[in-house]
Amino acid sequence: QVKKQCDQKLLIRMKTKCVPCSLNLDTQCPAGYTKITNGTGTPDCRYYLEIKTYTLSFPGCRHRCVKEFEQPECCQGHWGPDCMGK
């Protein structure tokens, strides 16, 4: 039995919205994503507050999330929707 289908595993990475670190404990990743940071997340961003005519910038935190995705692909020498070609 020759293997015809060689799916590729892709890792999709994303970061949640930047918020005050104290509020980031309960932040969840979107559906299907797994959180890979703990606690308050990573303090590597800034969030903004608008007060009347001013916009203030503060250091904030966000979480990193990943999602594994399998992309269907034919093995070398095979093609088509069923990877039957030779």
Side-chain angles (χ1 to χ4, degrees):
Q1 177 87 21
V2 178
K3 194 173 178 204
K4 297 175 181 121
Q5 186 119 4
C6 296
D7 294 346
Q8 294 295 314
K9 277 194 177 169
L10 299 177
L11 216 54
I12 303 167
R13 299 171 191 275
M14 60 90 58
K15 292 176 182 169
T16 59
K17 198 174 115 190
C18 191
V19 295
C21 294
S22 58
L23 300 179
N24 204 35
L25 274 167
D26 299 327
T27 299
Q28 296 301 316
C29 292
Y33 284 83
T34 304
K35 195 190 288 187
I36 57 170
T37 43
N38 296 318
T40 56
T42 313
D44 65 348
C45 60
R46 296 190 78 77
Y47 67 95
Y48 301 92
L49 277 183
E50 283 183 36
I51 299 169
K52 294 188 179 174
T53 55
Y54 298 102
T55 300
L56 303 177
S57 168
F58 298 98
C61 292
R62 55 189 174 177
H63 283 292
R64 292 196 173 124
C65 310
V66 292
K67 180 182 186 178
E68 207 173 75
F69 175 75
E70 269 204 13
Q71 185 171 325
E73 227 170 82
C74 296
C75 297
Q76 199 170 351
H78 295 85
W79 61 87
D82 300 322
C83 298
M84 296 303 286
K86 225 172 185 232

